Amino acid sequence: QVQLVESGGGSVQAGGSLRLSCAASGFREDRVYCMGWFRQAPGKEREGVAAIDSDGTTNYADSVKGRFTISQDNVENILYLQMNSLKPEDTAMYYCAAFSYAASYVSGGRCYGVAEVENAWGQGTQVTVSS
């Protein structure tokens, strides 16, 4: 069972940067995984921010394109989200997630696929951007 632990959140002024990390463990060698970052602001639905498929393909929500970058260290099993030019509307709880499908793709900052066999979520890390 995949376990995910996020870190790196905090408070920053608009225009600043943060890098979120997600330490992952428990991957099965007979599965491939699509990884993603989600966020949820108070009173709003959870939304996909950025995703990276098992072949390295990345995709971003329109609201963060050009400002956020998702990457992963496949040796250390760490997922990153570099966030630059932060805006107050980026304030949210940010979650790391892992999905395993029979076949997957990324779109709109999220992982999609058919025949999901596993999913896992971290506990979240808070990002607060002040104006």
Side-chain angles (χ1 to χ4, degrees):
Q1 184 174 357
V2 175
Q3 295 186 325
L4 305 169
V5 179
E6 303 95 335
S7 61
S11 296
V12 64
Q13 289 191 327
S17 298
L18 284 174
R19 187 176 79 159
L20 305 184
S21 299
C22 173
S25 62
F27 290 123
R28 288 180 52 154
E29 293 186 358
D30 61 341
R31 293 178 180 173
V32 292
Y33 293 87
C34 183
M35 305 291 294
W37 287 97
F38 291 75
R39 67 186 181 187
Q40 187 167 21
K44 294 188 176 181
E45 293 187 354
R46 185 174 58 195
E47 62 174 349
V49 174
I52 182 166
D53 209 348
S54 58
D55 64 357
T57 303
T58 59
N59 192 271
Y60 300 89
D62 288 343
S63 58
V64 307
K65 280 181 182 176
R67 300 188 298 121
F68 290 11
T69 302
I70 188 172
S71 62
Q72 61 187 7
D73 182 331
N74 290 322
V75 175
E76 298 293 333
N77 285 337
I78 300 175
L79 183 72
Y80 297 104
L81 184 67
Q82 178 66 44
M83 305 186 295
N84 298 328
S85 302
L86 282 161
K87 304 175 181 180
E89 51 263 44
D90 295 319
T91 295
M93 184 71 79
Y94 283 72
Y95 299 90
C96 171
F99 304 88
S100 184
Y101 299 97
S104 62
Y105 64 98
V106 291
S107 178
R110 300 187 59 156
C111 297
Y112 292 91
V114 295
E116 181 183 294
V117 296
E118 183 178 3
N119 71 78
W121 294 82
Q123 294 297 312
T125 186
Q126 178 67 39
V127 171
T128 302
V129 184
S130 58
S131 57

